[in-house]
């Protein structure tokens, strides 16, 4: 694939930063050791010391390059400073504009910066900012999706936009070799997979969640989960009995006014989980 050798890894396969705390050092190192690019996920709050520990723990498990993903919609300045100080191979950013000053800061630290985009306009801004690569995500993706365009229509437009100057990675609904071949045919030079890595042994997702992911084969596009935390961000979910019972949740309802249904340790902090929060079980 076109990304071969750019960052020192063998294959153009990227493991997405699975949130809020699913792709930890074990998964990222396993992907890196297998020749792909694994991405840690930074906390959605400022925790630079924890970010440093994540990176250093990963380095005890692999001597290959890897990266870390940051959601720009949440507090992140101190986390990014720690990431650049640690000089990981790749800083992946999403859910926010990737300004030129951030691009320059990363590149001056020797870190490649790769935004994930969900629209042609976002891709154009990223290319103009001088990023090192672009991940193009279609609405086929799992989790909260940033754009409304399908991958098969958006990807070739972005490929034409950058004209070979910047590597383009396809994301959204790719799970096997057929999806990889299709992405390459549309002009991508690599693929980014998220859900495909959730059910791996190294993933921090709860064993029952992994089992349900394998058992269920139907999904639906909805905005039921995470309306308060992720406004205007639909997501693709499994059509479980719970979802089918609540799929018509009134638009004024969201997780903020729902009961606490459990607790989870996320990035070493205990968090309350409310119904409809959409947090992946750990």
């Amino acid at each position: 694939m076109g990304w071969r050798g750019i960052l020192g890894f063998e294959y153009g396969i990227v493991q997405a930063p699975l949130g809020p705390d699913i792709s930890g050092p074990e998964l990222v190192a396993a992907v890196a050791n297998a020749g792909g690019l694994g991405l840690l996920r930074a906390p959605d709050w400022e925790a630079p010391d924890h970010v440093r520990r994540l990176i250093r723990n990963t380095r005890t498990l692999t001597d290959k390059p890897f990266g870390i993903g940051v959601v720009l919609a949440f507090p992140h300045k101190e986390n990014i400073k720690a990431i650049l100080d640690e000089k990981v191979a790749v800083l992946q950013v999403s859910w926010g504009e990737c300004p030129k000053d951030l691009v320059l800061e990363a590149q001056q630290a020797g870190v490649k910066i790769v935004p994930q985009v969900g629209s042609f306009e976002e891709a154009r801004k990223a290319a103009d900012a001088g990023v090192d690569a672009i991940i193009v995500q279609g609405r086929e993706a799992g989790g909260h999706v940033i754009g409304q365009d399908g991958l098969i229509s958006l990807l070739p437009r972005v490929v034409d936009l950058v004209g070979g100057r910047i590597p383009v990675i396809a994301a959204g609904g790719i799970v096997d070799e057929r999806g990889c071949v299709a992405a390459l045919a549309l002009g991508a030079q690599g693929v980014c997979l998220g859900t495909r890595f959730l059910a791996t042994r190294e993933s921090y997702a709860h064993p029952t969640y992994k089992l349900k992911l394998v058992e269920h084969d139907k999904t639906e596009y909805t905005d039921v989960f995470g309306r308060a935390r992720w406004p205007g961000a639909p997501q693709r979910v499994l059509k479980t009995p719970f979802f089918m019972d609540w799929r018509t949740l009134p638009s004024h309802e969201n997780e903020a006014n729902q009961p606490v249904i459990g607790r989870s340790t996320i990035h070493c902090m205990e968090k309350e989980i409310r119904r409809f929060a959409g947090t992946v079980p750990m």
Side-chain angles (χ1 to χ4, degrees):
M1 290 187 176
W3 252 39
R4 182 182 295 270
I6 287 181
L7 297 174
F9 60 92
E10 297 177 61
Y11 303 110
I13 295 177
V14 180
Q15 165 253 306
L18 304 171
D21 185 17
I22 300 299
S23 55
E26 291 82 1
L27 176 57
V28 170
V31 172
N33 288 332
L37 172 60
L39 296 174
L40 296 163
R41 167 68 184 271
D44 293 338
W45 58 90
E46 295 284 26
D49 290 340
H50 179 72
V51 168
R52 290 188 182 92
R53 282 194 297 270
L54 281 176
I55 294 169
R56 292 172 185 178
N57 287 345
T58 306
R59 285 180 171 145
T60 67
L61 302 173
T62 183
D63 59 359
K64 302 289 183 67
F66 61 89
I68 184 168
V70 174
V71 178
L72 298 177
F74 301 127
H76 59 268
K77 288 185 178 180
E78 293 303 313
N79 290 343
I80 288 182
K81 184 178 185 301
I83 290 166
L84 300 186
D85 286 346
E86 291 292 327
K87 298 188 183 299
V88 298
V90 174
L91 168 62
Q92 187 261 16
V93 294
S94 60
W95 286 97
E97 190 168 336
C98 182
K100 192 160 190 174
D101 57 348
L102 176 58
V103 173
L104 291 174
E105 185 181 6
Q107 291 172 342
Q108 287 170 359
V111 176
K112 304 284 188 183
I113 185 163
V114 180
Q116 178 173 281
V117 304
S119 70
F120 181 82
E121 183 59 25
E122 279 186 290
R124 185 188 63 77
K125 290 180 179 179
D128 289 345
V131 300
D132 295 287
I134 297 174
I135 298 174
V136 177
Q137 184 192 60
R139 64 173 292 180
E140 299 89 344
H144 292 89
V145 182
I146 194 169
Q148 297 299 306
D149 294 329
L151 183 63
I152 198 169
S153 61
L154 179 60
L155 179 58
R157 294 184 65 207
V158 176
V159 170
D160 290 344
L161 169 73
V162 301
R165 294 177 291 115
I166 303 170
V168 176
I169 300 99
I174 300 170
V175 298
D176 58 19
E177 69 277 10
R178 293 169 297 180
C180 292
V181 170
L184 292 177
L186 292 171
Q189 293 170 281
V191 292
C192 181
L193 292 75
T195 307
R196 186 64 181 83
F197 284 100
L198 265 175
T200 56
R201 288 191 301 271
E202 298 87 355
S203 159
Y204 286 167
H206 193 281
T208 301
Y209 180 75
K210 295 179 184 181
L211 184 63
K212 296 298 181 185
L213 188 65
V214 174
E215 286 180 350
H216 289 272
D217 60 0
K218 293 182 179 179
T219 65
E220 186 165 316
Y221 199 59
T222 182
D223 73 340
V224 165
F225 298 100
R227 287 175 177 170
R229 182 169 172 78
W230 298 89
Q235 63 279 162
R236 186 165 300 282
V237 302
L238 298 174
K239 293 178 75 170
T240 62
F242 176 85
F243 171 69
M244 297 307 291
D245 287 343
W246 292 96
R247 64 192 298 204
T248 58
L249 186 73
S251 59
H252 67 277
E253 296 281 356
N254 61 56
E255 70 271 25
N257 59 12
Q258 296 295 315
V260 174
I261 59 171
R263 288 171 174 78
S264 184
T265 300
I266 300 173
H267 289 296
C268 298
M269 292 187 65
E270 186 175 283
K271 299 284 187 177
E272 290 185 342
I273 307 299
R274 294 184 179 273
R275 185 168 60 186
F276 308 128
T279 304
V280 176
M282 301 290 288

